Amino acid sequence: MATTMDLKQLFEKASALAGYSFAEVAAAHGLTVPADLRRNKGWVGQLLEAALGASAGSQALQDFPELGVELKTIPLNAAGKPLETTFVCTTPLTQVTGLTWADSNVRNKLQCVLWIPIDGRREIPLAQRCIGTAFLWQPTAEEEHLLQQDWQEHMDRIALGQVETITAHQGQVLQLRPKAANSRVLTDAIGPGGELIQTLPRGFYLKTQFTEQIIQRTFAL
DNA sequence: GGTTGATCATAC
DNA sequence: GTATGATCAACC
């Protein structure tokens, strides 16, 4: 059994992947590259998990629980801007009284993130796209404040039975959107009268403007 | 062209 | 269904 990686080793391992194509990394781990991501949306994330030895699997934990680190890939376009929002975690829709930001799943997941920018250009064959320069991020006080504000606003609405009035337009940096296999999936939630209702499962997502600022700050000359 | 709501694969 | 990993694609 290998000794546990420390943060420095993980970061160096992630940094060493910069410049390699998905085909090269996949080959090194005995994986095949799909033609595109249409039916394999999480493939790049899983490739990086394999390459870095993430351990949490399908548990509701950070990817590297021993290090308190969450791994996130983020697809960028030719201009270095995020092409997609970033999924954080599913949203609790029942038993939300007493939930606080300090012990929320959102804060836990975002305390320390190992971001790995990836080439998201759809005009280039998936196998030829490359891995970018990894970086570690911990929210600044200002960033955490924005996240907490949005989280609190969403959770207040959920607690008041107004989950179905929430749209992705709400939130400065953290939005609430469906997170399910399809629009027919149902889960328990609090209704307008405090009763239990059935609704579409939701998840928290980081908006692209927020992640773009993180990217810009990180790679600013 | 950017976003929002919908969707895909897989393990359990 | 819930968890993980996300991107698709219709719409404004």
Side-chain angles (χ1 to χ4, degrees), chain A residues 23-191:
Chain A
E24 290 172 320
V25 178
H29 293 274
L31 301 173
T32 56
V33 185
D36 57 58
L37 297 176
R38 199 149 57 101
R39 292 192 164 274
N40 293 273
K41 299 183 180 182
W43 186 80
V44 182
Q46 288 163 351
L47 174 68
L48 271 296
E49 283 184 348
L52 297 175
S55 57
S58 64
Q59 300 175 76
L61 290 172
Q62 291 155 320
D63 295 294
F64 298 91
E66 324 79 24
L67 303 177
V69 172
E70 175 74 10
L71 175 66
K72 289 287 179 200
T73 58
I74 183 160
L76 306 181
N77 65 15
K81 293 177 64 170
L83 282 165
E84 300 289 344
T85 54
T86 302
F87 173 71
V88 180
C89 59
T90 51
T91 310
L93 300 179
T94 61
Q95 301 173 346
V96 298
T97 52
L99 271 189
T100 65
W101 165 251
D103 50 46
S104 69
N105 206 192
V106 174
R107 181 169 181 273
N108 179 53
K109 290 253 181 176
L110 298 183
Q111 260 180 350
C112 185
V113 178
L114 176 61
W115 291 100
I116 303 191
I118 58 169
D119 189 342
R121 294 175 294 174
R122 292 184 192 174
E123 62 271 25
I124 294 179
L126 189 61
Q128 295 173 26
R129 297 185 208 166
C130 289
I131 295 171
T133 302
F135 66 96
L136 282 164
W137 170 73
Q138 291 191 274
T140 63
E142 186 179 356
E143 286 165 344
E144 179 159 351
H145 183 63
L146 290 168
L147 290 165
Q148 176 173 3
Q149 278 190 325
D150 288 347
W151 179 88
Q152 193 65 59
E153 192 174 316
H154 294 315
M155 293 311 298
D156 285 349
R157 283 200 163 89
I158 289 165
L160 290 170
Q162 298 173 351
V163 62
E164 298 194 313
T165 72
I166 304 175
T167 79
H169 296 288
Q170 282 145 42
Q172 302 292 304
V173 299
L174 187 70
Q175 63 184 178
L176 207 65
R177 302 219 311 277
K179 170 60 175 173
N182 57 61
S183 60
R184 281 91 62 192
V185 174
L186 295 173
T187 193
D188 288 346
I190 302 167

